[in-house]
Amino acid sequence: MGLIAAILLLCQQDRTALRTEKADYFPAIQKCKDGEGMIDSDPKTAIEKFDEVVNNPKIKWIECRLRVEERPSEYTAYYAFLPFQYRGRAKINLAKKSDPDIAQKLLNEAVADLQRSAKEGIVEGSLKEGVKSSDEFLKAAKAELEAVAAKIKAASVPKTAEPAAVEPAVVKFRPAFLRLLDDLKFKAARDFIESDGKGLTEAEKKRFRDDAEAGCRTYLGEQALKLRRRITSDIRSIQDLQSLGAGELDASFAVPRPDDLVATHPAIEWARASLAAFEGVRSRKSPAESLLAAAAAAVAVEPDGENQWFGTAVTVAFQGMRESVRGCVDRARDALLPERQKERAAADDLVKKWTDFAAKLDPKFRDAHPSVAAHGKELAQLLAGFPVDLADVDKADLDACFAAASPEAALASIEKSLKGLESGKTVTRESRRKLYHLLFTATALRALVEGKTEDAAAAEAEAYGLELVKAGGPVETKKYGPRMEGVFSKLR
Amino acid sequence: MRTTIALLVLSAAAYAQDQQVGARTKAMGGSYTAFEDDPVSVWLNPAGIATQPDALGIAYQTYTTYDLDITPSILPPSGDEPVGEPVTGWTDPALIPSYLGLVFHLGTPESPQAFGFCFTAPYQLKFPVSTTFDTDIVGARFEQVFYRFRAAYARDFRFQPAGTEGFLTHLSVGLAVDLAVSRLVFRELAPDSLAVFGVALDENLSDVGVGGGAGLLLGVYDNTRNFKVNLGLAYQSKVHFNFSLSPEFAPQFDWPNQYQAGLTVYLLDGMPLRITADVQRIEWDGATADSTLPDGHNFEDLNNYSLGVEYALKIPSLFAGVTFYPRAGIRRQDAPWQSTNGQELPAIRNRRMVIRPDEEVYTVGSFGLGIGWSSEAGKSRSFDFAFDFGGDTNNFAMGFTLEM
């Protein structure tokens, strides 16, 4: 309240946001304009946009005619920057589409917004053409509020009851009950109906219980909006999540205590249930795929349209799983068959987990979240990085070269063919060892046949020798006699 | 022929005396001291960055330089002197911008402050000088380039709330420290200063020095609608270079002291015009060694006067969201010599500039265009182009400014 009062004191009709503030005010004005266009057609979304503007601590000029300095002394046209008035109007419109209890709460809020706006002295005619003063909307909101209150009252009073007998108990009870609601103690308010509502009729008790539940639902709705904003801004990637401290994650997931509540909200329940899974991944005690369950649970929070709860969980899970699959592929690159098989099985298991997760989603929901399919495809593509055996390397026959008319030419030819197998996809360590053993042997044999010394032959085949040593060393060294064995002995 | 060389060399020197950098400053005649919306202020007046948002500016521009054109016609018996031809050149190497500056805003709207960093290359001196034994004869090529790296801090003090009408609305104060680098190339055409050894000097030297700068920018009046006046004052310090070659053998310059004062007047609603006026004083006298010739004259301190205009033109029907900034300027630019008589031209020690100027004051016109637009978040971007004329070659500058 203090902040709002300070803001109000600062406000006057014409204001200028400086160049150094334009990065804050341009988006705020745009949100206000977007919301203004939705006051009648989509008041709920409009209210969310105005909430973002009035809750932004960097926006100090509010309920005024505002211009923004683009360059020194170059200003935008003045805009009627009245987010409180616009939000009040949107709440009036939303109230018209709501149940009386919710409508009453919305109208109370609208009155508060419009009172704030009217207090700034925005006078009809002082703003751009077509913008009316907040006073006029305030009157309308108050009239609506009275009408809704009367409607609720009429519905709650039995036709046969004597109003004079009921009124005193209600009048006595209501202030204390409303204070509890204002303090967000909804459960205490409901208990208060039973403990202190002795003079109330059952119908009145029911109405108060309904008020407590409706107030709680509205409160939870607001909290869910804030929760979503926190989660989606704090956790945009697995790196974001893992860079948070435990306390910071708790703050991101902070939700009202259930002890005070008499209603539930799917997003709040989801956050409460999913915190442990996020904490596990944050602290690296659980694998990222453990968040798939949280993602699946988030579907129920917003089954239609873009579900940001789901988006956050699924993004973090995917990024972690992608890193895991990449790790498997990297480790398999130089591993021998048993470890390779182990890594492959682990990677296959991760891909299967994703596929199973995606398959269980409702097709309509999946279509609304194309990233699920794209991520699955990306994970599957990573499997192509696992090394494969070279089938052709076993077909090379060095012995046959010595039966050829020109052994040198035959060895050179086989060397060229083997070299052709070198490039391309990732090859298993065993195949690489065979390949470089053959390449080293063929090159060295050719050099020896050409009459070169063992040192010269080893030097000529040195490049293959280095790769051969990396792949595990020669397969065998004695087959082509002592000179060739001598060449092998020079391998380092 | 000597007259031609003299004229060209005079113009080269005349051009070199202005340290304007950036396409916008060039287009507006070089009157820039009261700018407050261009990262080029880091160099021109550090106080001008105090109220700027985060921004980057880069500029490339040409310089008029004079290369000797040595042709067979100089050989005996015809014997013409070598000719210095005016050419339009870039920095060397050409990839080096004439200006690169960054501004980082730190403060709050109530107490704006900023850091700025820049690299600038405002001077490119290149002209022939005389022999030591006959000051009418070209004896050597002289070239000196100057670079300066600057770190600046500025803070704005508001006397009136932003956006309110009044006199003396705010004062920005800026301070800067600089690291200056200069490269000197000196090539004798024949053995001269070390003739006793039969050696022609061919030197390529560099040195670094430390300097600084300071500035003030005062909001004189602002009615926030259609009239605003800013006053800027700035100082760029001398930087002494100590090359490993005595001035007895080769001319050399320090970076001269420069003092600037400027006004910017904004006419807003209905006439979005900005008018700038500047006076600059550059102390070339103290930047060179004195003449030792019997009738020698030293380089003179000089004053420049400039005027510039910039108009903001929007054509939403054709170019929605784009603002064009046509600009023009004019500069009355002193030469650093008292007389156009070749024998009264300035000399550094015993080498005189071998020129025969026919002007003591140059009038340089300029024009340019800026194309500006804003991102969705309202961050400004602009491409700027400028041309000037009235010297020996026309020059061109282009720049890009980006609010980050």
Side-chain angles (χ1 to χ4, degrees), chain B residues 138-153:
Chain B
V138 173
R141 297 169 194 257
F142 168 77
E143 182 179 353
Q144 192 172 353
V145 293
F146 300 80
Y147 306 117
R148 201 142 159 168
F149 297 89
R150 164 166 287 190
Y153 168 77

Side-chain angles (χ1 to χ4, degrees), chain A residues 34-210:
Chain A
D34 292 346
E36 205 185 338
M38 291 190 275
I39 288 175
D40 295 322
S41 59
D42 186 0
K44 193 178 172 191
T45 310
I47 291 167
E48 285 179 21
K49 289 186 181 292
F50 300 132
D51 281 345
E52 286 182 42
V53 176
V54 299
N55 293 336
N56 184 344
K58 291 183 175 172
I59 302 300
K60 63 178 182 185
W61 309 129
I62 217 155
E63 301 303 293
C64 58
R65 285 192 346 140
L66 180 69
R67 64 179 182 173
V68 181
E69 187 185 34
E70 293 178 286
R71 294 170 190 246
S73 299
E74 269 182 45
Y75 303 100
T76 60
Y78 274 110
Y79 168 63
F81 189 58
L82 309 170
F84 278 118
Q85 188 205 86
Y86 301 147
R87 190 169 71 170
R89 287 164 53 193
K91 284 179 176 172
I92 294 173
N93 284 342
L94 188 59
K96 288 175 185 166
K97 301 173 184 175
S98 307
D99 293 338
D101 293 333
I102 295 175
Q104 190 177 33
K105 185 172 187 309
L106 285 167
L107 287 166
N108 272 319
E109 291 172 356
V111 167
D113 279 350
L114 292 165
Q115 277 173 339
R116 286 173 193 165
S117 183
K119 197 173 174 183
E120 301 318 307
I122 301 297
V123 180
E124 192 169 358
S126 70
L127 300 172
K128 69 179 183 183
E129 196 180 343
V131 175
K132 295 178 180 174
S133 78
S134 295
D135 283 332
E136 188 174 323
F137 294 111
L138 181 58
K139 282 177 202 161
K142 283 179 175 171
E144 285 277 338
L145 185 59
E146 280 175 21
V148 170
K151 199 171 162 188
I152 290 171
K153 190 174 172 185
S156 66
V157 177
K159 287 195 168 76
T160 55
E162 285 293 328
V166 174
E167 191 68 15
V170 172
V171 169
K172 190 179 169 192
F173 176 81
R174 182 177 284 130
F177 174 77
L178 291 178
R179 267 199 301 279
L180 287 169
L181 290 191
D182 284 346
D183 291 343
L184 307 173
K185 294 177 177 169
F186 302 103
K187 193 173 267 181
R190 196 175 62 182
D191 295 344
F192 185 66
I193 300 168
E194 301 309 322
S195 61
D196 287 61
K198 292 188 178 64
L200 300 176
T201 65
E202 279 312 307
E204 284 167 341
K205 284 183 180 176
K206 181 180 180 304
R207 182 159 63 81
F208 282 119
R209 276 195 297 273
D210 290 348

